[in-house]
Amino acid sequence: MTGTDPQAYFGIRNELADKLLRGADQLAGVPAESRARVLRAALDAVPEAAGPLRAYPALYADGESSASRLAFSCLSAAATFPGAPRGTIAELGALTAVLFAVDDLADGVADGLSTGFGSFFSLLTAALAGPSADPGLSAGPGAGAGTVGEVLVAWRGWAARFRARAGGHTEALAGQLRLAGAAMARERAWSAGREPWPSYDDYLANGRITILYPTWWAAALVLCGPRPVRWETVERATLLGASCVRLANDIRTFEREKAEGKPNSIGILQRSGATAEEAVTRVAAHIGELEAAFHAALAELPEELAGIAEGQRRSVAFNGRWYLARDTHAYTVGELTADTAAHRAP
């Protein structure tokens, strides 16, 4: 889909989803008693998250700059860890914004990465190892030319800050980035017609990786969890949570992805004979089944990971309910400010 006009792409509305999900509340996944705290924490984190990313407009392919993606990104982080320090919420919000840009490149919404997923993602992982593994870290401002360059430089800056806080625990994040690169390349092959569309199950097994929820959590586990924690301890629960978020995202975005020619759980069910309404109903029911399995898996985590389990529970609740109400890219800092004022604690 390289060459797509981002403004036209992000302007595609899913009127059927709006009709079927009318009345859905974007904040339904945030417990009512903590909404004021979550919104305030998100709003306070936005300036700190925006600072290191301000020089890279390519991160904001929807054209709304930090007024859009950083508001949602910081809100998602605050909804997940409402008690975290502002700097941690800001770093997790900045990570989300950069991962949105990586996803734009993979989808072809932002030009510059029609092929070469392996080499691009190898640069992302190299940045986690430091200058000795990534010569681009010392290449200077000129290394940021073009959309891909800007995204890489923004990522390298974030990775440097992460390394400083990670105490050497970067392996899980590097591993998830490698998996994401392979999964996104597979997704691009499906969209381009180089490979036939997958089955529903094969699509979901890949899509739970490309939603980048496991990638985000590989970083969050280091920043917000006890150390050391083996990724395998949380992997099953994380993949179940990722599946929930992927399918909720599909319900919101299937019209846009139809324009991309990109597989989506709704589109795959439609190809097998379901109407759009039937497909949405079936996917929504599957989300319910997956959420039950997700909560069961979280309950099996060791006591020392109680905070991570609660964060994952809150993250899936927030993001899943948000997607049922609206998309992510058009939520501005002004709206976040208004929501914060409307939910001000008494």
Side-chain angles (χ1 to χ4, degrees):
M1 191 178 155
T2 302
T4 296
D5 175 6
Q7 294 294 327
Y9 173 78
F10 284 108
I12 296 173
R13 293 290 304 275
N14 192 334
E15 294 181 1
L16 176 60
D18 288 340
K19 176 182 176 182
L20 293 175
L21 302 170
R22 184 176 292 116
D25 178 2
Q26 65 196 35
L27 296 176
V30 181
E33 64 273 14
S34 64
R35 284 181 192 169
R37 181 187 185 191
V38 165
L39 289 160
R40 184 75 254 173
L43 187 61
D44 288 347
V46 167
E48 189 168 338
L53 304 182
R54 191 167 288 117
Y56 312 113
L59 297 179
Y60 311 108
D62 63 349
E64 295 294 333
S65 190
S66 60
S68 175
R69 284 187 167 167
L70 277 174
F72 172 82
S73 298
C74 289
L75 180 55
S76 180
T80 301
F81 294 112
R86 181 175 62 187
T88 300
I89 293 173
E91 285 297 2
L92 290 172
L95 170 62
T96 303
V98 177
L99 291 178
F100 268 131
V102 170
D103 188 56
D104 287 341
L105 287 169
D107 284 345
V109 177
D111 287 340
L113 192 68
S114 58
T115 59
F117 285 87
S119 59
F120 176 71
F121 276 86
S122 70
L123 291 173
L124 298 184
T125 58
L128 293 171
S132 62
D134 181 10
L137 284 171
S138 57
T147 301
V148 174
E150 283 195 23
V151 173
L152 279 174
V153 175
W155 169 258
R156 284 166 174 155
W158 184 89
R161 298 191 301 276
F162 178 73
R163 288 198 315 276
R165 298 180 60 174
H169 297 287
T170 61
E171 301 88 351
L173 179 53
Q176 290 305 309
L177 283 168
R178 283 190 286 268
L179 290 174
M184 287 179 165
R186 192 174 301 117
E187 198 172 71
R188 176 64 74 90
W190 291 335
S191 300
R194 295 193 299 273
E195 294 182 12
W197 271 30
S199 66
Y200 180 96
D201 289 342
D202 287 345
Y203 163 77
L204 183 55
N206 198 72
R208 67 189 185 181
I209 305 301
T210 61
I211 197 68
L212 297 176
Y213 180 93
T215 304
W216 193 92
W217 270 100
L221 186 63
V222 172
L223 294 178
C224 300
R227 299 178 192 170
V229 177
R230 294 176 64 247
W231 175 253
E232 291 77 12
T233 306
V234 300
E235 184 174 29
R236 179 171 177 271
T238 302
L239 289 174
L240 285 165
S243 297
C244 295
V245 177
R246 163 52 67 195
L247 292 179
N249 173 274
D250 282 3
I251 291 175
R252 171 53 50 192
T253 62
F254 69 85
E255 288 292 349
R256 182 180 302 146
E257 287 166 349
K258 184 187 298 182
E260 289 182 89
K262 179 179 175 182
N264 170 295
S265 59
I266 304 298
I268 289 169
L269 291 176
Q270 286 181 284
R271 284 193 170 197
S272 68
T275 66
E277 291 88 345
E278 291 168 343
V280 168
T281 299
R282 288 167 62 181
V283 170
H286 192 195
I287 293 172
E289 296 169 3
L290 288 165
E291 282 188 340
F294 171 63
H295 292 148
L298 291 177
E300 296 174 358
L301 293 181
E303 180 62 30
E304 61 265 26
L305 292 179
I308 294 300
E310 178 61 18
Q312 289 230 19
R313 189 177 295 110
R314 294 181 66 104
S315 181
V316 168
F318 169 75
N319 287 287
R321 274 55 180 184
W322 183 280
Y323 279 125
L324 297 183
R326 63 181 293 173
D327 214 329
T328 59
H329 64 275
Y331 186 65
T332 67
V333 173
E335 288 178 277
L336 175 58
T337 302
D339 282 342
T340 302
H343 292 83
R344 185 178 293 115

